[in-house]
Amino acid sequence: MIVMASVTALGLASIETTAFIISVLSLVNTVTTLKGGLWRQLNKRAFGWILLGSAPATFAGLWLLDYSSDGQKGLLQIILGVSLVGSSLMMMYRVTQLERPSPVTAFAASGVLAGLMGGLFSTAGPPISFMMYRQPDSIAAIRATLLCLFSVAAVLRIGAVAAIGSVNESMIALSVTGAPVVWLGALVARRFPPPLSNEALRRIAFGILLFSGVFLTIKGLV
């Protein structure tokens, strides 16, 4: 989300191009992380119901992106800006774990919202992260479920974009250039975690997303 926010706010690339590249690099990152066997901790119930909601919603999000891109750049920036503001506020909300797992309808609903955000901007993380961190699971199970969901979401989006013929040479070149950097970064992060607390990282991400979201919303309105 930070990459999407920064690139769009600075006007470095179109939302369509940035979203595709984020999907590819996200897939590289999650697959590298899951190689350690973390996927065995997967919460299959949550994974299945979230995927059931997110898969069709991803295609709906892509359709909305295509519709909004057709001469409605301001509308697209407003939608992204509001999504970033909402995600930043969700990030700072202190989640408390439930005593019992959420009902399947809650998982499916979070999947629908994640699918729409993923299809539009390749930012499916906030809704399902919020849902999963409320579950009475171990941190390993939550991480494994989220990484598996992110992997599938990236594959779905990349496949859908390729199927409709929206992939161009620039997208491919930037993805190929960024993939080894992300792969190396994921390996280094596993071995040498950043010397910052989770709270500090959350505050930095919150500030970037909130500022970018407000900026893009105002930019879209004017």
Side-chain angles (χ1 to χ4, degrees):
M1 291 200 71
I2 292 177
V3 174
M4 172 61 76
S6 303
V7 171
T8 306
L10 296 173
L12 300 178
S14 68
I15 291 177
E16 298 87 343
T17 298
T18 308
F20 179 83
I21 296 169
I22 289 174
S23 295
V24 174
L25 300 186
S26 173
L27 182 60
V28 173
N29 180 58
T30 53
V31 169
T32 303
T33 305
L34 286 169
K35 274 187 176 180
L38 184 62
W39 60 271
R40 295 187 179 90
Q41 304 286 338
L42 174 70
N43 181 333
K44 296 179 181 177
R45 176 175 177 267
F47 176 83
W49 283 101
I50 291 175
L51 184 60
L52 184 66
S54 64
T58 298
F59 293 99
L62 276 170
W63 178 84
L64 288 172
L65 176 62
D66 183 62
Y67 172 78
S68 301
S69 299
D70 189 15
Q72 301 187 53
K73 184 178 179 181
L75 175 61
L76 202 58
Q77 289 179 336
I78 293 172
I79 296 173
L80 176 57
V82 172
S83 298
L84 292 174
V85 171
S87 298
S88 66
L89 296 176
M90 188 181 296
M91 181 182 297
M92 293 308 295
Y93 179 81
R94 293 193 176 276
V95 177
T96 55
Q97 285 189 310
L98 302 171
E99 294 183 1
R100 291 183 295 181
S102 299
V104 294
T105 51
F107 288 121
S110 68
V112 170
L113 183 55
L116 286 173
M117 292 180 64
L120 276 166
F121 310 117
S122 194
T123 54
I128 53 178
S129 295
F130 182 83
M131 174 60 65
M132 286 307 305
Y133 276 105
R134 287 179 57 81
Q135 304 310 307
D137 293 336
S138 66
I139 294 299
I142 292 171
R143 284 194 65 208
T145 306
L146 288 173
L147 287 171
C148 287
L149 284 167
F150 295 157
S151 297
V152 174
V155 170
L156 279 174
R157 197 182 191 287
I158 293 168
V161 173
I164 61 178
S166 296
V167 181
N168 56 46
E169 293 182 0
S170 175
M171 292 178 178
I172 296 174
L174 290 171
S175 298
V176 170
T177 302
V181 178
V182 171
W183 173 75
L184 181 60
L187 293 178
V188 172
R190 281 170 54 185
R191 191 173 183 85
F192 306 104
L196 291 172
S197 66
N198 287 335
E199 186 65 24
L201 289 172
R202 285 175 61 183
R203 290 183 179 278
I204 292 172
F206 167 78
I208 295 173
L209 292 178
L210 182 61
F211 174 79
S212 301
V214 172
F215 174 79
L216 285 171
T217 302
I218 295 174
K219 186 178 179 181
L221 288 172
V222 298

